[in-house]
Amino acid sequence: MKILFTKISIIATLTLATANLFAQHVSPDDKYNRKEVMIPMRDGIKLHTIVFTPKNQSEKLPFLMLRTPYGVNKYPSPEKSEYVKDMAEDEYIFVYQDIRGRYLSEGKYEMQRFSRDKKDTKSIDEASDTYDTIDWLLKNIPENNGKAGMYGISYDGWTSIIAAADPHPALKAVSEQATPSDMFMNDDLHHNGAFRLSYAFEYAFMEEISKTDSLYRFGNYDTYDWYLKLGPLSNINKKYMHGILPSWNAYTKHPDYDDYWKRQAVTARLDYPRLAIQHVSGWWDQEDMVGPQDVYKFLEKRDTNNNNFIVMGPWRHGGWSRGEGTSLGNITFSNQPTAAYFRKEIQAKWFAWYLKGKGEGKFAEAISFQTGSDKWKSYATWPPKEAAEKNIYFHANGKLSFEKPSATEAKTFDSYVSDPAKPVPYRARPIEETYGPGSRWFFWLTDDQRFVDNRPDVLTWQTDTLKEDITITGNVAAKLYAATSGTDADWVVKLIDVYPQEYKKEPKMAGYELMIVDDVFRGRFRKSFTNPEPITPGKVEEYTIGLHAADHVFKKGHKIMVQVQSTWFPIIDRNPQKYIPNIFDAKESDYQKATQKIFHSSRIVLPVVE
């Protein structure tokens, strides 16, 4: 492999390519006036901000603010944005801001900047920048009602919840949508300690190689090949980046759950809901599905004023912000416009109450679009108290059943050979670059899992055809009893809804294998994420793997399936299957085949609602 660019040529090329991003988009028929300002922060740095005010404003209005690293100069007048159109029709003062060090804002960018030391009056963080922005807006934008709200998806959701952790008194409501919560335990960069290679590398490059979003040029349309030929993770810096990406360098220095990751976690920065907070999560969010659920759970324990709410729907990352939401990939939802419903009936009404006092102000604790049944549901608690744990067990001959295996059968196992040189792709090839042209990244969690059927390194168990509906609502977990011939191993578990082989409703969906929940666990962390240990070859150990939440009905006539494998490439880096204290230091010779055994005492713990 050869280096595609030098550092200087990369930046020069990308700077030219993004020069036209700063063209202003203003139309005579816009319903809002546009004002561009540079707002000073407490340390003198100025942040580029766009303020939209209604042309025919008739009353004092609250601010609705979004702070982002992705550039705001091309944002259209709010009534022309699907995401906020319903709120724009109700009228707000919309504020869009480039965060520190990105696009047209001054200062130095730090990915997920750590919280400041409040004892130092000159220190800054995203919460202080938000505070200073709101303070300036209140004093300099006329006809405001003294209230502000924040919203945003992904990084913008993270800036929102960080602002809520240390809010300006005028900040009254925050809708964090798809915020990451703990980058070692879940979401963008790791899952249960397993490193999300392709996303982590491509995102770090995109955000840190220049002030504007930039794509790495792989030279391979199928990035599976590029990452496989990459070899050990150390080759990212040795052959390509040469230490110029600060975040990537940090990943290599912190392979375990140390203070770096603990300080970065959102929950470490929160105490209790200081204002109204709405958490929004997608069942098939390929980036930050877990974050909103974890942050909701953390704050709910400390919510004494009914300020904490959660909304979950059948969406990909940010899928609720655009389109009708009647389908996702190949999956349809009985023609229900789930995304449009969220924007109009949930998001708009929630902000109208908290910022304007409009409406009844009655909101369910948890709102969920239940998949399978395709119905909106409301719950007094999340997870609902009526859900009861029920085990579904692995049996010999690929059988999955609620019947507990006998003591004799529990000692038997199925096995496969995991070869890091031939890893199981996480989605059907070609695997386009994450945000590149034609990428299918956005829908892969709904992909038909038959693409790995009959692979010798993927084990499958399934039930008989269901004679009645089975509803699961709440958190799903896997209890694996497994052994490996290596000294480290990854365990990937997928819970799947198998459609009938004859499906007249949608013939193309006949036999479809739809993942409902899934995740990966790196074996070295089975006892501690802070102090990993090698696995004893051949020793049977228990691995508890949280597969996170679902609200789904396995319909009569369908089957329930479980798949287990040890590679999921390149979304998850290849485990050498030989214990290396820092996996970023592994050498090519460390990667080895391993025989994996899954015992029939293994099970999936389902939250079944009768």
Side-chain angles (χ1 to χ4, degrees), residues 19 74 79 91 129 236 280 284 350 478 591:
K74 292 183 69 175
E79 82 279 2
E91 293 195 351
D129 283 352
I236 288 286
V280 181
W284 288 287
W350 193 80
Y591 291 79

Side-chain angles (χ1 to χ4, degrees), residues 314-381:
W315 306 305
R316 66 178 177 90
H317 190 62
W320 52 88
S321 68
R322 62 186 72 85
E324 291 295 298
T326 57
S327 63
L328 180 63
N330 294 317
I331 311 303
T332 58
F333 308 119
S334 302
N335 293 317
Q336 294 199 58
T338 64
Y341 179 87
F342 166 78
R343 296 191 298 268
K344 186 176 183 66
E345 300 298 327
I346 300 176
Q347 176 175 257
K349 290 182 177 180
W350 193 80
F351 275 117
W353 170 254
Y354 283 104
L355 298 183
K356 291 185 168 188
K358 291 180 60 177
E360 297 180 355
K362 296 179 180 179
F363 304 103
E365 177 74 17
I367 300 173
S368 166
F369 187 85
Q370 186 179 76
T371 54
S373 69
D374 293 345
K375 295 178 181 178
W376 282 104
K377 309 281 283 188
S378 294
Y379 300 102
T381 61

Side-chain angles (χ1 to χ4, degrees), residues 83-98:
Y83 187 18
V84 298
K85 179 181 178 181
D86 295 298
M87 295 189 290
E89 291 176 353
D90 200 25
E91 293 195 351
Y92 292 84
I93 301 171
F94 287 87
V95 180
Y96 302 108
Q97 186 175 75
D98 294 329

Side-chain angles (χ1 to χ4, degrees), residues 277-552:
I277 301 177
Q278 180 187 75
H279 310 270
V280 181
S281 177
W283 294 129
W284 288 287
D285 187 324
Q286 75 282 7
E287 294 172 31
D288 299 303
M289 184 266 283
V290 182
Q293 296 177 32
D294 277 2
V295 177
Y296 167 81
K297 179 181 178 181
F298 178 88
L299 289 175
E300 187 60 19
K301 296 176 182 178
R302 300 157 178 82
D303 183 22
T304 58
N305 296 312
N306 194 32
N307 277 334
N308 199 44
F309 305 91
I310 189 166
V311 181
M312 296 158 289
W315 306 305
R316 66 178 177 90
H317 190 62
W320 52 88
S321 68
R322 62 186 72 85
E324 291 295 298
T326 57
S327 63
L328 180 63
N330 294 317
I331 311 303
T332 58
F333 308 119
S334 302
N335 293 317
Q336 294 199 58
T338 64
Y341 179 87
F342 166 78
R343 296 191 298 268
K344 186 176 183 66
E345 300 298 327
I346 300 176
Q347 176 175 257
K349 290 182 177 180
W350 193 80
F351 275 117
W353 170 254
Y354 283 104
L355 298 183
K356 291 185 168 188
K358 291 180 60 177
E360 297 180 355
K362 296 179 180 179
F363 304 103
E365 177 74 17
I367 300 173
S368 166
F369 187 85
Q370 186 179 76
T371 54
S373 69
D374 293 345
K375 295 178 181 178
W376 282 104
K377 309 281 283 188
S378 294
Y379 300 102
T381 61
W382 183 261
K385 294 179 180 179
E386 55 267 32
E389 290 187 353
K390 192 172 183 179
N391 295 318
I392 191 165
Y393 295 92
F394 302 5
H395 289 268
N397 302 314
K399 179 84 169 181
L400 189 67
S401 170
F402 288 104
E403 180 181 347
K404 187 175 182 178
S406 67
T408 300
E409 186 186 13
K411 296 178 181 178
T412 62
F413 58 85
D414 293 307
S415 67
Y416 58 96
V417 175
S418 174
D419 185 356
K422 300 177 182 179
V424 182
Y426 76 96
R427 56 185 167 101
R429 296 175 64 183
I431 298 176
E432 307 86 2
E433 61 182 295
T434 303
Y435 294 122
S439 178
R440 293 167 295 140
W441 162 256
F442 308 99
F443 312 107
W444 77 268
L445 286 175
T446 63
D447 283 355
D448 190 342
Q449 295 303 296
R450 282 180 291 190
F451 82 96
V452 297
D453 276 1
N454 298 318
R455 275 194 66 121
D457 49 1
V458 179
L459 294 179
T460 301
W461 298 264
Q462 64 180 330
T463 64
D464 294 333
T465 301
L466 299 179
K467 296 181 179 179
E468 59 183 15
D469 290 356
I470 294 178
T471 301
I472 60 170
T473 305
N475 296 314
V476 183
K479 294 278 189 179
L480 284 192
Y481 292 90
T484 177
S485 63
T487 51
D488 197 7
D490 286 352
W491 309 108
V492 178
V493 181
K494 301 180 283 189
L495 179 69
I496 295 167
D497 185 341
V498 182
Y499 284 57
Q501 290 298 329
E502 292 187 15
Y503 197 63
K504 295 180 181 179
K505 181 181 177 181
E506 291 181 86
K508 71 175 184 178
M509 296 298 293
Y512 201 93
E513 297 178 5
L514 172 66
M515 286 195 298
I516 304 303
V517 291
D518 50 88
D519 219 335
V520 57
F521 188 94
R522 183 141 287 173
R524 64 174 58 206
F525 298 116
R526 66 203 179 282
K527 296 180 182 178
S528 168
F529 286 98
T530 301
N531 299 300
E533 296 179 6
I535 300 171
T536 302
K539 182 181 179 181
V540 181
E541 300 208 41
E542 178 183 335
Y543 299 88
T544 299
I545 307 171
L547 301 180
H548 315 301
D551 192 1
H552 181 76

